[in-house]
Amino acid sequence: MEFIWQILRHTPVWVYGIFALLVYLGAIQTRERRVSRLRVAILPIVMLAFSLLGVLGTFGLSALTLGAWTGGILLVVILNQIARFPRGVRHPAGSSHFVIPGSWTPLLLMLAIFFARYVVAVTAVMRPALGANSTYVVVVAAGFGLFSGIFLARALQIWGTKPDIAAASISAPKEGAAITPLTSRG
């Protein structure tokens, strides 16, 4: 237990601030909300940047790290073409917004990225030789790509939601308008 306390005590204060921000952003995702096209892009951009900074900060810039990270992203984007996550997104006709159902998944993914990055950072300090192990580098970089790529795949799925034309064509009669019954012609 002393070992964990030492790690937590030497963690910079700003790391706890990032943790709190991610919990807040994830909590927002648990409720149904109406989101613009631009706001759909913000979370993937932030999470991709967060994971890329983790990879570059730990292993440096190289074809191996960028290739593994990018490969992880591409893999999850391709897989989401089959899985179609998230489900239940609506795009009201005539609106530039999407209605996204609440989900705990984004919060869990954000925390997974945070803790993975935290563990990798602690490991880099305690065992710096691992940074020279290409297998370790590829696994960590691809893992960060997979985790953050889920947010990109999710945004692409949301942007691909077709406007709900059926709901727009069915409207209630205006107040005071006469309602005529449908009759069949023979």
Side-chain angles (χ1 to χ4, degrees), residues 68-83:
W69 183 76
T70 304
I73 293 169
L74 291 175
L75 177 62
V76 78
V77 167
I78 291 167
L79 290 175
N80 200 47
Q81 294 300 308
I82 299 165

Side-chain angles (χ1 to χ4, degrees), residues 8 11-23 46-47 50-51 54 106-122 143-144 147-148 151:
L8 293 174
T11 298
V13 174
W14 60 267
V15 172
Y16 296 107
I18 289 176
F19 177 76
L21 177 64
L22 290 175
V23 169
V46 168
M47 297 314 291
F50 185 60
S51 74
L107 173 61
L108 296 175
L109 290 169
M110 286 181 219
L111 294 179
I113 291 171
F114 175 85
F115 286 118
R117 185 162 175 208
Y118 187 82
V119 167
V120 168
V122 169
F144 282 166
F147 276 138
S148 59
F151 291 97

Side-chain angles (χ1 to χ4, degrees), residues 97-167:
H97 291 79
F98 299 93
V99 178
I100 304 171
S103 172
W104 288 92
T105 304
L107 173 61
L108 296 175
L109 290 169
M110 286 181 219
L111 294 179
I113 291 171
F114 175 85
F115 286 118
R117 185 162 175 208
Y118 187 82
V119 167
V120 168
V122 169
T123 303
V125 169
M126 298 180 71
R127 301 218 172 152
L130 273 177
N133 181 320
S134 59
T135 302
Y136 178 75
V137 171
V138 166
V139 168
V140 170
F144 282 166
L146 284 167
F147 276 138
S148 59
I150 292 171
F151 291 97
L152 176 60
R154 181 177 178 269
L156 293 172
Q157 178 67 24
I158 292 168
W159 287 328
T161 302
K162 304 276 188 257
D164 187 8
I165 296 171

